[in-house]
Amino acid sequence: MRSHLRLLVILFPLIVGSCSQKEQLFTLADTQTSCSIVLDLGPYSTVQDAQNAYSSINWFDDKYKQDNISQTALAALELQEYLSHIFNIPKTHLPIIDAKNAPDTGNMIILGLPGESSLKQIIKPVKKYWRKSKSASDQAIRLDSFYGTTRRGMVLSGRTATGNLYAVYELLSRYGVRWFKPGADGEFVPRMKKIDIFSIHDFVDPEMKVRGYWMDARREANQGDIEFYKWLGRNRINLFWNNEKDVAALKQRGILLNTGRKDLISTLIKPEYNYRYNHPNFPNDDHFPMDPFMVSDSFRGDSDDDQFLSYKEAHPEWFDTTSDSMHDGSATIWVPHICLSKSDAVREFSQIIVDKLLYGEWQTCDIIDLWEPDYWCSCEKCQQMGNNADKLLYMMYKINQSIHFAKEAGTLKRPIYVHGYISHFAADPPSIKLPKDFNGQNMAVYLFTGPRCYNHYIISPGCTAINIWFSRSI
C-alpha cells in the first residue's frame, strides 16, 4: 500500500503539467498576418489621445497612473510605426487596441501587464517570471512569448512604464532596427518578410543605471528638438539636463534631468549673500521667514551699514576658514565658501537645494550634481573630517538627509538622486566609516576623468600624450 501511495505522489505533477499547451514555433507578424498591439488605455478613447496627454501631465508628483498610460501609449505607437516599415505594410494590419477590447483570437503583442480578466491566463505566467527576477532595477524588462490554442504572441513588460518602452526598443533592436542619429535619415530599418517566435523568455537589465550626457548649464544654451528627444529615448539614453523647454517630452521617454551645474558647492551660499531669514537681532528683515538657527555668539549686526544682513554678518563662524583655501571669499567655481565642520552651515546649504527642488529653478530636476572642489576648508576641525572623498560623501549624505526630511513631510514627492563627481585621474578611497543611515540607493560618485584620448583605451601605455596620465595615476 505504501508503495502505491509513493507512485501516486510522483505521477501527480506529471499529469497536471501535461494539461498546459507546449510552446511551438509560430509567425508573430508578416506581410499577410495581422497582429494586434494591446495595452491599457485607461480613460483615453484612443492611443493618440493617451500619447498626446504627456504635455499636460505632472511628471513630478507621486501619482503615476497617467504617466504610465502615456508612456505605454508612446511605446505602442513606436512599435506600430517600425513594424509597419519592417514589413512594408499599412498600420491597419497592426491595430492598437485597448486591453478591455482585446481579441479572443489571433496574434498580439501585449505591452505591460494589463489587469483585464480576459488576459489573465496570458499575464499570470509572466508575473511569475517577474517574481523570480532578483534585480530591483526600475529599468528591468522582460520579453515573453505565449502560445495558446486561439491566441499567441509576445508580452513586452517592464518593472515600470519606462521599461515597457525599453522593451519595445529591445525587440526592435533584436530585429535590426538602429538609430544612429536624430531624424529619419539617421536610422536603419531592415525589410523582413516575417518574424518567427519560439519560446522567448528573456530578462534584460541595463548594465549601467545612468546613460547619457552631462552638459554644463552655465556654458551651453542650445536647445534640443523633438527629433533629438526621440533619438535619446530610442537608444535608451536616460540622462540629460534640466534646461530644455519641452521637459515633458523628455520625461515621457524616461529621461532623468540633472542640474547641469558644476558650481553648486561655491555659489549656493556666499559670505556676501543676503541672509534669507528674519534674524531676531536685526530690524529690517521682518518679511523673511523665522530664523531656524541659534543667534551666533559672533554676531555683530550690520557691520558694513548697508541696511542688509549678509550670511557672514549673521553667522561669521560658518566662514571661519583659512585664507589660503578661501582665497578671501573670491568667487571661483572650485572653492567652497562654508566650513564643513559647522553643521548649521551644511544644513543651510542642503536646505537651499531642497527649496530649489520644491519652489525654484530645479522643480523639474531629478538629479543634484555635486562636484568636488579643488579646495575644501582647511581649518583644524575640517582637517579632522578625513580626506577629500570623505568630505564629498559627507556633503552628499547631508543633502540626502534634507531630501529625506522633505519627503517625510510630504512636500517633495518625486525620487531625487544625489550624484558626486571627482574630476581627477584617480582619487583616494574614503578613510572614514560611513554613517549607519547612509542610504546609497539614490547616490553615486563618478570619477569624471575629463579630457582623454578615445583612440586608445583609458590606461593604454601606448597613448603617450594623454592617457598615460591615467595609467600612472591608477
Side-chain angles (χ1 to χ4, degrees), residues 194-378:
K194 64 178 182 176
I195 291 178
D196 288 333
I197 300 292
F198 175 70
S199 191
I200 295 175
H201 299 285
D202 293 344
F203 174 82
V204 182
D205 195 3
E207 293 183 5
M208 300 292 290
K209 187 173 182 178
V210 178
R211 309 165 299 278
Y213 294 95
W214 201 99
M215 298 178 66
D216 191 337
R218 296 172 72 249
R219 296 185 179 184
E220 184 65 53
N222 292 333
Q223 294 280 314
D225 57 22
I226 190 62
E227 290 302 321
F228 180 67
Y229 303 156
K230 288 178 180 178
W231 178 82
L232 291 175
R234 289 163 179 168
N235 284 289
R236 286 166 272 182
I237 293 171
N238 71 337
L239 172 66
F240 204 51
W241 66 355
N242 181 49
N243 281 23
E244 297 296 308
K245 292 178 181 178
D246 195 356
V247 165
L250 291 166
K251 296 306 298 177
Q252 190 186 28
R253 290 160 175 81
I255 296 171
L256 300 171
L257 307 177
N258 66 5
T259 58
R261 295 288 296 268
K262 287 186 174 183
D263 59 350
L264 300 194
I265 211 161
S266 63
T267 58
L268 289 191
I269 299 182
K270 287 186 179 181
E272 67 273 18
Y273 282 180
N274 287 347
Y275 193 57
R276 64 180 190 147
Y277 300 109
N278 181 2
H279 195 285
N281 295 345
F282 186 72
N284 298 333
D285 56 5
D286 292 343
H287 56 292
F288 288 143
M290 182 184 298
D291 194 339
F293 303 107
M294 296 290 291
V295 176
S296 169
D297 292 337
S298 305
F299 179 74
R300 298 294 181 268
D302 182 16
S303 57
D304 60 3
D305 294 323
D306 65 353
Q307 305 304 308
F308 295 99
L309 191 66
S310 69
Y311 269 98
K312 191 167 186 177
E313 290 169 334
H315 291 282
E317 74 282 1
W318 289 5
F319 307 94
D320 185 18
T321 54
T322 56
S323 59
D324 63 323
S325 68
M326 292 309 302
H327 300 281
D328 299 320
S330 62
T332 152
I333 68 169
W334 299 118
V335 177
H337 294 278
I338 58 172
C339 178
L340 292 190
S341 62
K342 307 300 182 185
S343 58
D344 282 350
V346 177
R347 178 182 156 198
E348 172 67 354
F349 178 87
S350 303
Q351 188 58 48
I352 290 173
I353 288 176
V354 170
D355 290 346
K356 285 179 177 289
L357 290 169
L358 289 172
Y359 319 113
E361 66 265 39
W362 299 340
Q363 291 181 65
T364 56
C365 273
D366 306 291
I367 299 173
I368 297 299
D369 302 301
L370 198 67
W371 287 74
E372 179 198 28
D374 282 345
Y375 304 98
W376 293 97
C377 171
S378 58

Side-chain angles (χ1 to χ4, degrees), residues 43-74:
Y44 301 101
S45 56
T46 69
V47 68
Q48 287 81 11
D49 289 342
Q51 194 280 135
N52 290 335
Y54 81 92
S55 59
S56 60
I57 290 173
N58 181 358
W59 294 93
F60 302 96
D61 60 14
D62 57 350
K63 298 177 178 65
Y64 302 117
K65 186 174 181 180
Q66 278 188 304
D67 311 23
N68 297 344
I69 293 171
S70 182
Q71 285 185 290
T72 308
L74 173 62

